[in-house]
Amino acid sequence: MSAPAVAIADPAVRAAFREWLLRVADDELTIGHRHSEWTGVGPDIESDVAMSSIAQEELGHARLFYEQVAGDDPGGADRLAYGRAPDDYRNAVLLELPNQGWEFSIIRLALYEAYEGLRLGLLARCGQEPVAGLAATLGREERYHGLFASTWLERLAGAPHGDAGGTAGPRAKVQAALDAAWPYALGFFETTEADEVLLGAGVLTQPAAQQRESWEAAVRPLLARCHLTVPVAAPRDGGRRGLHTADLTQLHREMTEVWRSDPEARW
Amino acid sequence: MVTAAQSALEQAVWDVLCSVEDPELPIAITDLGLVRDVRVENGDAVRVRLVPTWTACPALAVIRGRVRDGVRAIAGVREVSVDYTYDEPWTMERMSARGRRQLEAHGLAVPACRFAEPPVCPYCGSADVAIDSLFGPTLCRSTYVCRHCRNPFERFKPPAEPAAP
């Protein structure tokens, strides 16, 4: 592991950047675990392998961001990933929700990947090495996840097949999934004082409202192509402040089980 | 000033690096282009920086371990550090011509530069192919089928081009 990454002199900015990086890592960790639940039970062998690969990549990316936060502290990245209580996690609530069918997982993947691409772009321009270089590198990997999501979405909901436009077809299921996921997806853009601090310091170059605009500009054309209607809904947030659902408690219990069995183990 | 002893040690380190293969592909890490640089400090401390192809690849830890063990076994080496660096992303240009030939001999289709190039069947050379899955048996491979000779094949998958800013 390289030297402590978050080497910002101002302690308030350093703490804010640390919080931001934890959001990124916690997002990747929780969605990675949720994706991994498709291993062995995906709708076809290719999707099974794809979701498992995406899960593997997201967990790998989470590790890299935890390492950035932990610096040279041995075992620090694992303690951040698995040694905290659920209300210490800063992931968006959308990512902890259970997989409610394939349509929901694909919608969630599409919404999240668009956000992640944008966020990695912001981090690549944050002026802090090695985080900026890392973000630029990861952005090139994430693009395949978005491609997988949009391909599936267009097949499920976009093609003019059968009664896809009707109430019983696959598109209706995707629409229901979008209705369920959208308010939580708006929780990506929840802010805390950390955002203000980072904007003031020039580490973050786009306020949350503008991030949301960029994100909507990316996802709305895809959803429109799939004949899906974006619901009008208030954000369901809380995750960035540690307010989570019981689903995270369940996920946390499961994903920390091995680590808790021997926190000092070396792999 | 670079002494003769220092350059002999650097050469020995490169010899080790050339002997380390990617555990998932029959190619040396030097031909794959994973080695960013080698530095010898104070005559006996070796620092190796590597560039990952895919950052979540489970082979990375194996490669790092093999490099560390190999360099540590060189006479006169007191200290070894092996780190992955992200300041310059890995691209296809880093792969050597020999490495490319080795992967092709192994049966993989290998794009010249980018994933977005039209794929070519490694068996019959036809461009009439269809992607089966973006995600193959490892993070760096996708699977295809050839419509012409009807064989399935795998293609090396580099990380995507950077998105437009």
Side-chain angles (χ1 to χ4, degrees):
Chain A
M1 198 188 304
S2 42
V6 185
I8 298 171
D10 184 327
V13 179
R14 190 166 65 237
F17 194 49
R18 183 182 186 279
E19 183 181 325
W20 234 73
L21 293 179
L22 273 180
R23 287 182 198 171
V24 180
D26 291 345
D27 278 358
E28 295 282 72
L29 182 74
T30 46
I31 195 63
H33 274 276
R34 285 304 186 197
H35 288 333
S36 77
E37 292 172 1
W38 281 109
T39 301
V41 294
D44 63 347
I45 181 78
E46 287 82 2
S47 302
D48 198 317
V49 172
M51 267 316 202
S52 306
S53 300
I54 294 171
Q56 183 187 346
E57 290 189 344
E58 302 301 33
L59 295 180
H61 296 172
R63 180 175 51 79
L64 290 167
F65 282 109
Y66 286 128
E67 284 176 359
Q68 294 300 319
V69 175
D72 276 339
D73 174 16
D78 278 352
R79 269 196 301 283
L80 284 170
Y82 300 119
R84 288 175 297 153
D87 58 9
D88 289 333
Y89 284 73
R90 292 294 177 266
N91 60 283
V93 174
L94 177 67
L95 309 174
E96 73 204 36
L97 299 179
N99 291 298
Q100 302 151 45
W102 184 245
E103 292 83 0
F104 180 82
S105 296
I106 289 297
I107 272 284
R108 171 162 64 181
L109 183 64
L111 298 179
Y112 177 60
E113 291 298 336
Y115 170 64
E116 227 204 327
L118 182 136
R119 179 169 61 184
L120 288 171
L122 283 174
L123 278 175
R125 296 191 296 278
C126 74
Q128 302 298 320
E129 292 297 350
V131 170
L134 181 60
T137 297
L138 301 189
R140 299 160 70 232
E141 303 182 4
E142 296 287 350
R143 292 192 63 206
Y144 291 101
H145 304 181
L147 194 54
F148 175 78
S150 59
T151 304
W152 253 106
L153 203 58
E154 287 176 21
R155 214 162 35 209
L156 280 172
H161 50 69
D163 70 341
T167 51
R171 188 183 300 149
K173 283 190 183 168
V174 182
Q175 181 65 56
L178 175 62
D179 292 344
W182 185 265
Y184 289 103
L186 299 181
F188 291 151
F189 307 99
E190 178 182 11
T191 57
T192 67
E193 277 174 23
D195 297 72
E196 288 304 316
V197 172
L198 292 175
L199 281 166
V203 175
L204 186 59
T205 49
Q206 208 179 44
Q210 215 177 319
Q211 291 171 37
R212 179 175 161 182
E213 267 175 42
S214 309
W215 174 75
E216 291 204 26
V219 295
R220 279 182 180 270
L222 168 67
L223 299 173
R225 225 165 38 242
C226 297
H227 312 288
L228 295 166
T229 308
V230 174
V232 178
R236 301 192 64 166
D237 52 21
R240 304 301 190 211
R241 285 172 288 134
L243 303 171
H244 295 283
T245 61
D247 295 315
L248 182 65
T249 315
Q250 170 267 328
L251 179 66
H252 180 265
R253 199 181 307 126
E254 208 171 284
M255 72 187 183
T256 60
E257 188 180 357
V258 173
W259 185 83
R260 281 186 283 112
S261 70
D262 185 358
E264 299 307 316
R266 285 280 164 272
W267 299 84
Chain B
M1 198 183 80
V2 177
T3 64
Q6 176 155 341
S7 54
L9 178 51
E10 262 179 41
Q11 187 53 52
V13 172
W14 279 102
D15 289 345
V16 165
L17 294 171
C18 290
S19 75
V20 175
E21 276 204 349
D22 184 317
E24 293 180 339
L25 292 169
I27 182 172
I29 60 170
T30 42
D31 284 315
L32 191 50
L34 293 198
V35 183
R36 177 71 193 276
D37 53 30
V38 171
R39 278 186 301 160
V40 176
E41 291 166 2
N42 307 321
D44 59 4
V46 178
R47 315 223 169 280
V48 179
R49 294 198 304 162
L50 303 174
V51 186
T53 50
W54 288 84
T55 55
C57 174
L60 297 184
V62 177
I63 291 169
R64 175 163 28 195
R66 287 180 185 172
V67 170
R68 199 160 34 206
D69 293 349
V71 173
R72 195 174 280 150
I74 299 171
V77 170
R78 182 183 52 85
E79 193 190 314
V80 184
S81 76
V82 184
D83 287 310
Y84 285 99
T85 173
Y86 303 99
D87 50 0
E88 183 196 301
W90 186 91
T91 58
M92 287 297 294
E93 286 79 22
R94 296 188 66 89
M95 191 188 287
S96 72
R98 179 174 59 183
R100 178 181 297 273
R101 283 196 303 275
Q102 285 169 335
L103 293 187
E104 285 169 348
H106 183 60
L108 277 184
V110 185
C113 191
R114 286 157 181 257
F115 182 78
E117 291 162 27
V120 174
C121 172
Y123 295 104
C124 71
S126 171
D128 186 14
V129 304
I131 190 157
D132 171 55
S133 179
L134 270 180
F135 296 89
T138 68
L139 298 182
C140 61
R141 281 136 76 188
S142 296
T143 60
Y144 294 76
V145 286
C146 177
R147 291 201 189 93
H148 182 72
C149 72
R150 296 172 179 271
N151 281 301
F153 67 93
E154 291 177 7
R155 182 172 185 244
F156 187 83
K157 178 173 92 174
E161 305 74 75

